[in-house]
């Protein structure tokens, strides 16, 4: 009955604790269920063996009782034949079989109890496996959500890092613009004061009247008249 002890140990273990220690909870869940289904196969085989033992004990008990009935019938026949000594021998054999019948009855009762316990263990294991299969789907669903959340967290970290990079770029751009403005201002300061005299001279130099051009213009006007 070692299979029963092992089965009880398995079902008594804290599966959640095993999952906490596992590097990959999904693989651990699948492995636990594979182990349980393997144990279920062993429990079924053991149950079938014990049920066969029950049938054997039942058959031996029925054969013993049939033999007792047979001895009683022969005792009756012997008495009907006025052979009391033969009847006594048949009854003595029946009495001997009665002791054996008691032992066989006890063995049959024990085998019945064993079958009942094995069936209970088998049914509980089947029920527990079905429950774990249902929980497996839920746990894997939660794991998928957790992994998705983890990916989102990583993306969030990347976005945060990108935002810092953009902010740093903008700060550098501002520094470059400020440096350019300072350089232009410094260049303007270094150029010295502007001399306006040259511009004034150029202005009055351009006001001289070309007499020949004006004469030509007057001739054109007279010809038109």
């Amino acid at each position: 009955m070692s299979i029963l002890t092992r089965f009880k140990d398995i079902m008594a273990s804290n599966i959640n604790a095993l999952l906490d220690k596992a590097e990959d909870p999904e693989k651990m869940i699948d492995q636990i269920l594979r182990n349980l289904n393997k144990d279920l196969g062993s429990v079924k085989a053991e149950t079938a063996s014990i049920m066969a033992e029950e049938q054997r004990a039942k058959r031996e008990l029925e054969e013993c009782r049939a033999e007792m009935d047979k001895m009683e019938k022969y005792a009756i026949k012997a008495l009907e034949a006025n052979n009391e000594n033969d009847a006594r021998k048949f009854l003595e054999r029946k009495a001997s079989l009665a002791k054996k019948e008691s032992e066989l009855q006890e063995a049959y009762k024990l085998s019945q109890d064993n079958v009942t316990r094995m069936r209970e263990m088998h049914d509980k294991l089947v029920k527990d496996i079905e429950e774990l299969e249902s929980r497996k789907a839920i746990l894997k669903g939660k794991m998928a959500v957790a992994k998705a959340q983890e990916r989102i967290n990583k993306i969030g970290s990347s976005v945060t890092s990108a935002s810092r990079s953009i902010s740093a770029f903008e700060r550098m751009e501002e520094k470059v613009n400020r440096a350019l403005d300072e350089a232009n201002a410094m260049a303007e300061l270094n150029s010295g004061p502007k001399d306006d005299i040259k511009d004034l001279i150029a202005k009055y130099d351009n006001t001289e009247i070309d007499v020949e051009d004006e004469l030509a213009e007057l001739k054109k006007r007279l010809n038109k008249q």
Side-chain angles (χ1 to χ4, degrees):
M1 301 295 286
S2 60
I3 183 64
L4 296 181
T5 302
R6 182 165 178 262
F7 164 65
K8 290 169 70 175
D9 291 341
I10 291 172
M11 297 313 298
S13 65
N14 189 335
I15 293 179
N16 288 329
L18 292 176
L19 293 177
D20 289 340
K21 296 178 182 179
E23 293 182 2
D24 191 333
E26 288 189 64
K27 289 183 179 179
M28 189 64 180
I29 290 170
D30 290 335
Q31 185 60 49
I32 289 171
L33 286 170
R34 280 195 294 270
N35 293 342
L36 289 176
N37 279 293
K38 181 179 179 181
D39 288 325
L40 177 59
S42 300
V43 169
K44 285 182 176 179
E46 191 72 17
T47 301
S49 176
I50 291 176
M51 289 176 68
E53 179 65 24
E54 178 197 24
Q55 293 300 315
R56 185 191 65 79
K58 181 181 180 181
R59 183 172 60 254
E60 288 183 351
L61 178 60
E62 290 175 346
E63 289 174 353
C64 181
R65 287 173 176 173
E67 187 69 13
M68 289 173 63
D69 291 340
K70 181 180 177 181
M71 292 300 102
E72 184 175 330
K73 289 178 182 178
Y74 276 105
I76 292 173
K77 287 183 179 182
L79 287 175
E80 290 175 345
N82 294 320
N83 195 335
E84 188 174 326
N85 287 333
D86 288 347
R88 183 178 290 106
K89 289 179 181 179
F90 286 126
L91 291 176
E92 287 174 353
R93 181 57 184 272
K94 179 185 176 183
S96 175
L97 289 171
K99 293 181 181 179
K100 181 180 179 181
E101 189 264 350
S102 178
E103 294 175 356
L104 291 175
Q105 174 64 37
E106 184 178 352
Y108 177 55
K109 177 65 170 58
L110 179 60
S111 65
Q112 283 182 312
D113 292 342
N114 287 339
V115 168
T116 299
R117 287 199 298 272
M118 284 302 298
R119 282 187 175 277
E120 289 175 352
M121 298 294 283
H122 171 272
D123 293 345
K124 184 179 186 303
L125 180 54
V126 170
K127 181 180 179 181
D128 288 338
I129 289 176
E130 289 176 351
E131 180 182 349
L132 290 178
E133 286 286 358
S134 176
R135 290 169 61 190
K136 166 188 170 181
I138 295 174
L139 287 174
K140 287 200 170 186
K142 289 181 177 179
M143 183 58 64
V145 172
K147 287 183 177 180
Q149 184 63 52
E150 184 178 356
R151 292 196 299 272
I152 291 172
N153 292 341
K154 288 181 179 179
I155 292 173
S157 299
S158 299
V159 171
T160 301
S161 177
S163 297
R164 287 197 295 267
S165 297
I166 292 172
S167 178
F169 181 90
E170 290 175 346
R171 289 197 302 273
M172 293 304 101
E173 184 179 27
E174 183 180 351
K175 285 185 177 180
V176 169
N177 290 334
R178 185 168 61 250
L180 179 59
D181 292 340
E182 291 176 354
N184 289 335
M186 183 62 67
E188 185 177 348
L189 291 174
N190 291 335
S191 64
K194 187 176 180 181
D195 188 357
D196 295 334
I197 295 299
K198 292 181 179 180
D199 293 337
L200 291 174
I201 292 173
K203 175 181 177 181
Y204 288 102
D205 285 343
N206 291 333
T207 59
E208 293 181 359
I209 300 173
D210 190 335
V211 175
E212 294 298 328
D213 289 342
E214 187 175 359
L215 179 61
E217 181 65 27
L218 290 174
K219 287 181 177 180
K220 288 180 181 179
R221 289 165 57 185
L222 288 174
N223 290 333
K224 288 182 180 180
Q225 295 178 355

